[in-house]
Amino acid sequence: MTSDNDQFIENIIEEHNSRRHKHNAADLTHSDELTKLAQTWANKLARQAYISYSEISGVGENITFFPPDIEPDAVVEHWYSEHEKYEYETPGWQTGTNYFTQVVWRATKEIGIGYAIVKKPDEDNISCGSITKSMTSLSSSNGKLAAEGDKIIVAFYRPAGNNNRAGQFAINVQKP
């Protein structure tokens, strides 16, 4: 990775930690292993141009397509802004808040970041136009299809947050 890449990743981690402090959560530490996994996943998603989840055991994930010039603070703020919808009085899994809860999950200790730019699809990789068209329609309907030039950002967290066992949200997602 170049120093620009390293700085982008470092800034995303700093932005996570500044928000975690508001919720009495310790700083995340950078994991080279998670960063390598996240980068591999980001590269895959940039090629396929739609979001899918890696579902690596024990690893949480925040994955989003952004404009190519997005700054690290805007990435983390996008995920963190879901806190406005989170109901602390009834802790637990809540629709539209899982990016936020992963960012501030107290038991999470490590983070790895990967990112890539979506390129124009390689015509050699398109085997059947009707299947591709159907996948595009399906992906567009759920808002997860990327445009050429978008930046996919993958954050992997360990241990994973958003554990729905009894009492876990109350312990791990604290009111600021």
Side-chain angles (χ1 to χ4, degrees), residues 6-134:
D6 292 344
Q7 190 62 52
F8 187 82
I9 291 169
E10 184 178 315
N11 289 349
I12 286 181
I13 296 169
E14 288 172 5
E15 293 295 334
H16 270 78
N17 289 336
S18 71
R19 286 158 181 84
R20 288 173 62 82
H21 294 164
K22 297 176 186 179
H23 298 269
N24 199 29
D27 284 352
L28 296 173
T29 59
H30 178 252
S31 164
D32 287 333
E33 176 192 4
L34 289 176
T35 292
K36 287 176 186 167
L37 291 169
Q39 187 60 56
T40 299
W41 197 252
N43 292 341
K44 175 188 175 178
L45 298 180
R47 283 190 305 275
Q48 71 185 30
Y50 63 90
I51 290 178
S52 60
Y53 295 91
S54 68
E55 300 181 18
I56 299 169
S57 180
V59 174
E61 48 196 323
N62 280 350
I63 302 174
T64 309
F65 287 108
F66 290 104
D69 59 347
I70 190 139
E71 294 294 327
D73 63 323
V75 170
V76 181
E77 185 56 32
H78 173 78
W79 294 334
Y80 180 79
S81 68
E82 293 180 343
H83 79 279
E84 296 171 3
K85 297 182 260 182
Y86 191 76
E87 298 174 6
Y88 295 93
E89 296 74 26
T90 55
W93 188 271
Q94 299 173 18
T95 301
T97 64
N98 58 326
Y99 285 132
F100 157 68
T101 54
Q102 178 60 84
V103 168
V104 301
W105 196 264
R106 291 184 71 214
T108 298
K109 305 297 182 200
E110 297 178 293
I111 187 171
I113 305 293
Y115 63 95
I117 301 297
V118 175
K119 302 215 180 342
K120 186 175 180 179
D122 180 356
E123 296 299 324
D124 294 336
N125 291 334
I126 299 174
S127 58
C128 178
S130 62
I131 292 173
T132 302
K133 191 174 190 180
S134 296

